[in-house]
Amino acid sequence: MAELLNQSCEACKIGAPTLSNEEINNLMSEITDWNLITEPINQLKKVFNFNDYQSGVTFLNSVANMADAEDHHPEITLEWGKVTILWWSHKIQGLHKNDFICASKTDSLYLEN
Amino acid sequence: MAELLNQSCEACKIGAPTLSNEEINNLMSEITDWNLITEPINQLKKVFNFNDYQSGVTFLNSVANMADAEDHHPEITLEWGKVTILWWSHKIQGLHKNDFICASKTDSLYLEN
């Protein structure tokens, strides 16, 4: 996880290759408890739980700030006590290394929360 | 809309009646451009669009603050340039007047944004 955590997103252009299954499997081993969604496209999903509403809001804001700094924006769903995050690369409709970098940074923000 | 906007949520207990179809139809006429979702349960849904990421984040926070003040918490989904809001009453698994009050307040916050 440390290695991904120290990287930044690179520009991902339309037409860039999505990761191979082997690359995905290798990168999945570097992040903790993320689910690999495969339908309709490959995405990384994780649910983060909280004991109150404001802690979830604070976490959402920290992820949104990181996302904007990386210029890579996930889908974030806020409910009471729960924040669900989906990372994928819109331009290639699938997974790029950027998504694993951001998943790792998301975990780090949760631990800091 | 003004009438709903000036009301506050009342406590909604498990077992409280959901609104009748007639009540829903009447209240739908008091809010603007909300979609009535009926499956799997009745919910109010609206998508709010923005020209940049931070404006969506700011709007999400204003809705979250209002929700916490009303002690009634929607599902809010943040994407780049888009915030999707779903109001329903978890305890009765359907719609309560509280949801229409909060939908009206959500619209008001969007206009202030």
Side-chain angles (χ1 to χ4, degrees):
Chain A
M1 193 164 109
E3 197 194 335
L4 283 173
L5 194 56
N6 294 327
Q7 294 181 47
S8 293
C9 290
E10 59 187 54
C12 175
K13 294 179 182 167
I14 293 171
T18 53
L19 296 169
S20 68
N21 286 342
E22 187 182 350
E23 288 170 320
I24 288 173
N25 287 338
N26 286 338
L27 287 165
M28 285 299 291
S29 70
E30 295 190 43
I31 56 176
T32 307
D33 293 334
W34 286 80
N35 294 304
L36 177 62
I37 306 291
T38 56
E39 292 291 338
I41 58 171
N42 283 350
Q43 296 172 304
L44 299 177
K45 179 180 181 178
K46 188 165 175 177
V47 177
F48 296 87
N49 293 304
F50 302 89
N51 291 326
D52 60 82
Y53 192 61
Q54 283 303 333
S55 296
V57 173
T58 300
F59 174 66
L60 180 148
N61 277 286
S62 66
V63 175
N65 285 340
M66 178 270 285
D68 219 24
E70 296 288 347
D71 197 19
H72 190 44
H73 302 87
E75 181 186 295
I76 312 179
T77 300
L78 172 71
E79 297 167 87
W80 194 97
K82 189 163 94 166
V83 174
T84 305
I85 304 205
L86 273 171
W87 285 106
W88 79 100
S89 294
H90 298 70
K91 286 186 180 168
I92 58 173
Q93 285 293 295
L95 288 174
H96 184 279
K97 190 175 183 182
N98 290 346
D99 299 301
F100 289 86
I101 291 170
C102 288
S104 178
K105 292 189 180 203
T106 303
D107 280 337
S108 177
L109 291 169
Y110 184 67
L111 292 174
E112 286 170 19
N113 222 37
Chain B
M1 193 163 110
E3 197 193 335
L4 284 172
L5 194 57
N6 295 327
Q7 294 182 47
S8 294
C9 290
E10 58 186 55
C12 175
K13 294 179 181 167
I14 293 171
T18 53
L19 295 169
S20 68
N21 287 342
E22 186 181 350
E23 289 170 318
I24 287 174
N25 288 338
N26 287 339
L27 287 165
M28 284 300 290
S29 70
E30 294 189 44
I31 56 176
T32 307
D33 294 333
W34 285 80
N35 293 304
L36 177 62
I37 307 291
T38 56
E39 291 291 337
I41 57 172
N42 284 350
Q43 295 172 305
L44 299 176
K45 180 181 181 179
K46 189 166 177 176
V47 177
F48 297 87
N49 294 305
F50 302 89
N51 292 325
D52 59 83
Y53 191 61
Q54 284 303 333
S55 297
V57 173
T58 301
F59 175 66
L60 179 148
N61 277 284
S62 66
V63 174
N65 285 339
M66 177 271 286
D68 219 24
E70 296 288 347
D71 197 18
H72 190 45
H73 302 87
E75 181 186 295
I76 313 179
T77 300
L78 172 71
E79 296 167 88
W80 195 97
K82 188 163 96 166
V83 174
T84 304
I85 303 203
L86 272 171
W87 286 107
W88 79 100
S89 294
H90 299 69
K91 285 185 181 167
I92 59 173
Q93 286 292 296
L95 289 173
H96 184 279
K97 191 176 183 182
N98 290 347
D99 299 300
F100 288 86
I101 292 169
C102 288
S104 178
K105 294 189 180 207
T106 303
D107 281 337
S108 177
L109 291 169
Y110 184 67
L111 292 174
E112 286 171 19
N113 223 38

